[in-house]
Amino acid sequence: DAGVIQSPRHEVTEMGQEVTLRCKPISGHDYLFWYRQTMMRGLELLIYFNNNVPIDDSGMPEDRFSAKMPNASFSTLKIQPSEPRDSAVYFCASSAQLSNQPQHFGDGTRLSIL
Amino acid sequence: AQTVTQSQPEMSVQDAETVTLSCTYDTSENNYYLFWYKQPPSRQMILVIRQEAYKQQNATENRFSVNFQKAAKSFSLKISDSQLGDTAMYFCAYGSGNTGKLIFGQGTTLQVKP
């Protein structure tokens, strides 16, 4: 079975541009998570969905960030407008259950905002 | 709030030898899970091992085993017969049984030397 698929793998863009990161979870997984990894703050949970519905977005840093899950096989994380401090690796993960099943991570998107 | 602490930023070990990575956590919850994830230079987040807090028996997975001390809130990872491919950053993670959120430690960089 295919794992979590993220695209693009790398993204370089200029400050002020809109950035869209994409994720396809593992089929049958009801939970989808977006994380951000930086040297300073480590791995942080941004938002997670259950059955396509956002459950907890308390980790989203500010209104410039938004996430959607229009169906069970696709989610996006959007940053508009982007800023240099948004540069990080963004991971998507999915799991079959909320807590007693491990989260499976995608390969991440390395985002660089110039 | 739950916290996870990995007090060893960097460690090294000779191949074929054994190494132990430390992790402590703080929580007031009774229902939780603990995980170790490995992040090699390729950036993937790979699940190494998981432990249910309600189980007294320590989890093992081939060369990987944990020493789970619930009262001390300690969850160390032992890697036996270390291999060059074990070189990676290792993250300890706490999974809340109530919210499902994963909270990660800052990571330990492990270098296996030939």
Side-chain angles (χ1 to χ4, degrees):
Chain A
D1 189 17
V4 176
I5 299 172
Q6 289 186 247
S7 64
R9 186 156 172 80
H10 304 279
E11 175 86 12
V12 180
T13 192
E14 291 187 347
M15 180 177 64
Q17 297 297 307
E18 178 179 288
V19 173
T20 300
L21 311 181
R22 296 172 176 80
C23 175
K24 177 179 169 55
I26 292 172
S27 177
H29 281 191
D30 292 334
Y31 292 86
L32 183 139
F33 307 81
W34 281 102
Y35 291 89
R36 178 172 67 176
Q37 184 179 31
T38 61
M39 288 292 292
M40 290 298 294
R41 300 175 66 90
L43 269 158
E44 303 172 280
L45 175 66
L46 300 177
I47 185 171
Y48 79 90
F49 295 82
N50 177 28
N51 290 325
N52 315 337
V53 176
I55 301 301
D56 186 339
D57 65 354
S58 59
M60 295 287 263
E62 41 194 287
D63 292 345
R64 297 184 297 104
F65 286 71
S66 62
K68 294 182 179 179
M69 192 165 185
N71 57 61
S73 59
F74 183 67
S75 176
T76 59
L77 178 67
K78 190 171 291 188
I79 308 172
Q80 167 64 21
S82 57
E83 296 183 4
R85 60 195 169 110
D86 302 331
S87 298
V89 178
Y90 290 81
F91 285 100
C92 176
S94 71
S95 68
Q97 295 183 31
L98 184 57
S99 56
N100 64 339
Q101 292 297 318
Q103 295 179 21
H104 298 267
F105 284 74
D107 288 345
T109 295
R110 180 176 295 281
L111 176 64
S112 298
I113 308 296
L114 305 177
Chain B
Q2 295 81 31
T3 59
V4 178
T5 302
Q6 293 179 249
S7 58
Q8 305 153 314
E10 296 180 354
M11 293 192 72
S12 64
V13 63
Q14 294 294 133
D15 69 337
E17 295 192 345
T18 296
V19 64
T20 299
L21 309 183
S22 301
C23 173
T24 58
Y25 61 94
D26 190 25
T27 184
S28 58
E29 296 180 331
N30 290 318
N31 180 23
Y32 58 90
Y33 301 82
L34 297 163
F35 305 88
W36 280 96
Y37 280 87
K38 167 185 176 181
Q39 187 176 40
S42 63
R43 189 172 83 206
Q44 296 171 291
M45 288 289 288
I46 302 166
L47 176 70
V48 175
I49 199 165
R50 64 188 279 255
Q51 173 81 42
E52 292 89 344
Y54 61 85
K55 287 187 178 179
Q56 292 186 337
Q57 186 173 6
N58 290 323
T60 62
E61 194 70 44
N62 300 317
R63 297 182 296 106
F64 299 88
S65 62
V66 299
N67 182 5
F68 175 46
Q69 301 290 325
K70 190 171 183 178
K73 294 188 172 68
S74 171
F75 182 61
S76 60
L77 174 70
K78 185 171 83 171
I79 306 174
S80 304
D81 186 25
S82 298
Q83 301 175 0
L84 295 179
D86 296 333
T87 292
M89 181 167 278
Y90 287 81
F91 291 94
C92 177
Y94 171 98
S96 169
N98 298 324
T99 67
K101 289 183 177 182
L102 273 185
I103 299 167
F104 287 86
Q106 286 299 99
T108 296
T109 300
L110 176 67
Q111 177 78 42
V112 180
K113 298 180 178 180

